Amino acid sequence: MSIVVEQACGGHRDFEVGAIDLSLEKGKLTALIGPNGCGKSTFLSLLAGLLPLRSGRVTIGDCDISKTGKRQLSKRLTLLPQHPVVPSGLTVAQLVHYGRAPHQNMLGMRCAGDNEIVDQSMQTAGVYELRNRLLSDLSGGQRQRVFIAMGLAQDTPYFLLDEPTSFLDVRYQFEILDLLSSHTRAGRACIVVLHDIAQAARYADTLVIMKGGTIAAQGAPKSVLQPALLRSVYGIDAHVYSDPVSGTPVVTLASKELSRSVKLSA
């Protein structure tokens, strides 16, 4: 089962993406990168059914998301937005239990299976020891891991994350990306909006590079991260070389003067 995007157009009143064709497979980590305002978050919201399609369609297996209710859709995919709301007065375990809501009856009754999945999700995300602490008492990195644990507890084939590493220090960034990578190796799929090109290239099986609401390129990091493309998308002259440890592409600016004034971000 894949998420298949066919000539999809849609978005906000003042900004739309399209026409986009894309296939997102389980067992793969896909990173969406591109300049600020290019439509990455809008496209992610279209995939999640939060914004209406003007034309085209998005399907998950035989399920057309435009014809599927939110509850049924939430059993197929999980979305972690860029700025998730932090409810006051909740413990870590209470928030992670919210991830089980789509699988519970209308009264919200829990079962033994829910508790087991929640405990396993907290352990996988490395927050089990924090389960009785209030969210308000956690650091930013710890809180982000808790939201990821909630997403894991939703237990869907597809996990969509909008800039999950923003505002975190380097250690937490790599820990979260390692966690998502292991999640895909377990047979799920992650579609992640990222800022850092090198991190996207290191962890993604597929890069989707967006510009002006459309896809400028897609494919394996080594095949798409080329100087000509970076010049076209970001307006920079850059060198691309292989990381000595991972072998994945790394991008540096060709001009020392530009390097003082241009921030390489996706």
Side-chain angles (χ1 to χ4, degrees), residues 74-93:
S74 63
K75 294 180 181 180
R76 295 174 180 259
L77 59 81
T78 301
L79 173 67
L80 180 62
Q82 184 177 353
H83 301 294
V85 176
V86 182
S88 60
L90 285 186
T91 66
V92 167

Side-chain angles (χ1 to χ4, degrees), residues 56-76:
R57 68 174 188 163
V58 178
T59 57
I60 307 175
D62 59 357
C63 166
D64 187 327
I65 68 166
S66 65
K67 301 175 182 178
T68 305
K70 290 183 178 180
R71 184 177 178 83
Q72 289 302 313
L73 192 58
S74 63
K75 294 180 181 180
R76 295 174 180 259

